[in-house]
Amino acid sequence: MSPAELHIEATGLLKQKEQKAFLIAGPCSAESRSQVLETGRAIAKSGDASIFRAGVWKPRTRPGSFEGIGEIALSWLQEMKAETGMPVATEVANAYHVEACLKHGIDYLWIGARTTVNPFYVQEIAEALRGVDIPVMVKNPLHPDIGLWIGALERFNQCGIKQLMAIHRGFYSYEAAPYRNEPKWDLAIKLKRWMPELPIICDPSHIAGTTELISEVSQTALDLGMDGLMIETHQNPSLALSDAKQQITPAAISALMNNLVLRKSDFDDTVHLEKLRIIRKHIDGLDEKLLSLLADRLALVSEIGAIKKENNVMIFQLKRFFEILKTRKGMGDDLDLPKDLVHELFELIHKHSINIQNKI
Ligand code: PEP
Ligand code: MN
């Protein structure tokens, strides 16, 4: 896979925000006209959010749960926008949704995690948008496959959508705890590396799944250079018809936004820049030594490979592999190194050792 070339224009709203984090807020689902209007008024009054969100069609894992109000809710969003001036966003999952949203003047569309996984749906939605200039936000797919995320962004771009954003909403994992969806920050950062001009919004609500973790996830997102947040809010979260456990009140959003620390992207004073330069030089030297040690280690692996071949001995020896992991773990503990770092490092080294011997 080669880095994708997207033709992107930043949406105006994102460009404006500088003093405070860029925020998209609103309920998981539009539930009633009064709920949409009241929530919209509260958010507009606080001035915290740039965009109001509400799901109109809800993709639910199992049938029988609240599946959204449908098209009529779009007129509530329109009414809320007319009253407060706040642009509105909703999720679309097929061409019919797109048509209805365009008819009702919806300003932003997002593609849900359950849709991004399916290139047929994504293509259908993208085709329905051909020739329309509307911003589209693409949530990551449910499972950690960055290719599907990039592919969906490319499909929209190829149909002429230039105002694109990605939304990092976490990934399904057997070991998601304490999160509902594991925040694989490395994947969001990888996406940023591949498509540096693409804004990435973090959705701490779907990552956290519970109100207590939202502020921590939001701060981490900003510290890692995410371009904004999408947070679910409900006037009365315990009565919400979907995602009740993760929604917070508009007042709680205001408190959260006031507590978030916005950091500079780099140092702007010479004293600290100089300190950093010296430390980085030291790190460069250590990295050089690390690589040279690694080269010595791999040379020894090649020697072992040759001896094994001569003597007709199997390459992979489970006992030795376990011994390496165990002893290196102990060495790492003595040096106070993070356990998972040592484990992953030696798994990686071992994988490459096997590849080298295989070639021999
Ligand atoms: C949502 O934003 O309400 C939603 C359904 O999100 P996701 O697609 O991330 O599960
Ligand atoms: Mn939700």
Side-chain angles (χ1 to χ4, degrees):
M1 205 159 58
S2 57
E5 265 190 42
L6 292 191
H7 301 282
I8 287 182
E9 284 165 12
T11 82
L13 284 174
L14 238 173
K15 274 191 277 185
Q16 280 165 24
K17 280 273 167 179
E18 271 182 10
Q19 304 306 318
K20 258 190 167 183
F22 174 78
L23 175 69
I24 302 168
C28 176
S29 306
E31 299 172 356
S32 68
R33 178 173 170 269
S34 62
Q35 176 238 16
V36 170
L37 290 178
E38 279 168 32
T39 317
R41 283 178 194 136
I43 296 174
K45 196 164 157 218
S46 72
D48 291 315
S50 301
I51 300 172
F52 181 83
R53 65 146 280 157
V56 163
W57 300 278
K58 300 303 298 177
R60 306 312 297 276
T61 302
R62 297 187 56 206
S65 328
F66 173 66
E67 292 188 326
I69 295 286
E71 194 166 342
I72 190 177
L74 295 176
S75 58
W76 305 336
L77 293 183
Q78 256 180 321
E79 195 179 339
M80 195 284 307
K81 180 187 166 185
E83 188 186 313
T84 64
M86 220 175 358
V88 289
T90 200
E91 172 172 348
V92 290
N94 59 38
Y96 156 69
H97 295 164
V98 169
E99 194 191 322
C101 285
L102 296 179
K103 204 167 77 191
H104 286 87
I106 302 302
D107 305 281
Y108 287 75
L109 304 177
W110 85 77
I111 309 304
R114 290 160 189 77
T115 304
T116 309
V117 290
N118 189 323
F120 287 132
Y121 297 152
V122 173
Q123 191 64 35
E124 174 187 320
I125 301 166
E127 295 291 351
L129 285 171
R130 207 181 267 285
V132 183
D133 187 18
I134 189 169
V136 175
M137 306 182 277
V138 180
K139 289 198 167 198
N140 62 258
L142 290 172
H143 57 288
D145 179 346
I146 194 174
L148 281 171
W149 203 2
I150 293 174
L153 288 157
E154 285 174 325
R155 285 178 199 279
F156 284 104
N157 209 224
Q158 283 172 7
C159 284
I161 299 295
K162 291 209 167 86
Q163 298 182 68
L164 277 171
M165 289 189 257
I167 300 181
H168 171 33
R169 48 79 78 198
F171 296 86
Y172 175 78
S173 157
Y174 284 115
E175 294 163 0
Y179 305 103
R180 176 179 174 193
N181 291 294
E182 195 186 342
K184 289 190 169 289
W185 301 109
D186 53 323
L187 286 190
I189 290 168
K190 206 168 178 183
L191 186 67
K192 197 135 204 109
R193 261 201 355 244
W194 274 42
M195 303 172 162
E197 71 283 29
L198 177 77
I200 307 183
I201 307 294
C202 174
D203 171 347
S205 304
H206 288 88
I207 289 178
T210 163
T211 56
E212 298 86 59
L213 293 170
I214 289 177
S215 127
E216 172 194 316
V217 175
S218 303
Q219 186 64 59
T220 305
L222 297 181
D223 291 348
L224 292 175
M226 301 293 121
D227 300 280
L229 303 167
M230 178 190 257
I231 302 181
E232 287 188 338
T233 175
H234 196 280
Q235 298 286 71
N236 198 338
S238 61
L239 298 183
L241 299 181
S242 58
D243 287 350
K245 279 197 274 181
Q246 70 194 32
Q247 300 205 59
I248 57 177
T249 61
I253 288 210
S254 289
L256 173 99
M257 293 299 282
N258 288 333
N259 287 330
L260 286 177
V261 184
L262 288 194
R263 301 182 213 279
K264 298 175 283 197
S265 60
D266 211 339
F267 293 91
D268 47 17
D269 66 292
T270 45
V271 178
H272 286 101
L273 271 175
E274 180 55 15
K275 264 194 192 158
L276 207 70
R277 196 190 59 78
I278 294 169
I279 299 175
R280 283 184 173 154
K281 206 161 166 238
H282 199 159
I283 287 182
D284 292 346
L286 289 180
D287 283 351
E288 205 181 327
K289 279 192 198 149
L290 259 175
L291 289 177
S292 136
L293 285 175
L294 198 58
D296 291 350
R297 193 189 191 283
L298 293 187
L300 294 175
V301 166
S302 297
E303 259 181 56
I304 291 188
I307 299 174
K308 281 184 184 162
K309 191 180 171 202
E310 263 168 41
N311 294 281
N312 219 12
V313 172
M314 266 166 49
I315 292 175
F316 181 57
Q317 288 168 325
L318 195 64
K319 211 171 127 213
R320 170 68 179 156
F321 178 51
F322 284 149
E323 182 196 310
I324 287 186
L325 284 184
K326 194 169 154 222
T327 52
R328 288 6 172 212
K329 223 172 103 192
M331 294 173 197
D333 284 348
D334 291 345
L335 293 165
D336 253 349
L337 289 170
K339 286 190 195 318
D340 48 352
L341 168 69
V342 175
H343 189 89
E344 283 170 32
L345 179 66
F346 279 94
E347 271 193 342
L348 185 69
I349 289 179
H350 191 255
K351 182 178 112 184
H352 287 272
S353 303
I354 289 198
N355 288 347
I356 287 171
Q357 295 183 55
N358 239 338
K359 277 194 196 128
I360 294 171

